[in-house]
Structures are given as structure tokens and as C-alpha cells.
Amino acid sequence: MAVESILIFLVVGAVAGWLAGQIVKGHGFGLVGNIVVGIVGAFIAGWLLPAIGLSIGGGIIAAIIHALIGAVILLVLIGLIKRA
């Protein structure tokens, strides 16, 4: 994996994690927390969206939207577990 790919991976994760934090909780989680939430969200969406037949497309914006969907799902699930 090239350095540029890793940087893009981290930027997409950070943006998606920050946006998900804004949508679900109303605040971010710091740079490292946003990156982790975004990357885990991307893995969740990468597994879930094709399973239900959804395809977003290619490109950086599609990658951010893809990771954002998964990150929002992750944060909602975490919120539900914390309440239980």
C-alpha cells in the first residue's frame, strides 16, 4: 500500500467519523477517535451495503458517504448498547 493510499484512507476515515459524530452525538471525538470511527464504519458499510444490494459508486466523495453510513450505524449501535 502506497503512502498516498494510506493518507487518503486516514482522511476519509477522519471526515466520515467527524460527520457521524456531528449527526449522532452533536460533537466529534478528536482526530484519532474520528479516524477510528470512520474506518470501522467503512468496514461495516462495506459488509452491510452490498448485502442489501446498495451501491454508491466510486471516488472520494462516494468513499466518504460509504464510511459515513457505516459510522452512523456504528454510533447508533454503541448508543443503544450503552443505554441497555
Side-chain angles (χ1 to χ4, degrees):
M1 188 177 252
V3 174
E4 295 87 9
S5 298
I6 294 172
L7 288 175
I8 291 172
F9 193 67
L10 293 175
V11 168
V12 167
V15 170
W18 178 78
L19 285 172
Q22 296 297 315
I23 292 170
V24 175
K25 297 268 188 184
H27 57 82
F29 301 101
L31 182 61
V32 175
N34 287 340
I35 291 172
V36 170
V37 167
I39 291 172
V40 173
F43 282 114
I44 291 171
W47 168 77
L48 182 65
L49 294 181
I52 61 174
L54 267 163
S55 176
I56 296 175
I60 190 98
I61 301 298
I64 291 172
I65 293 169
H66 192 254
L68 173 63
I69 292 169
V72 168
I73 292 169
L74 173 68
L75 292 178
V76 167
L77 288 175
I78 290 172
L80 291 174
I81 291 170
K82 281 187 175 181
R83 288 183 192 162

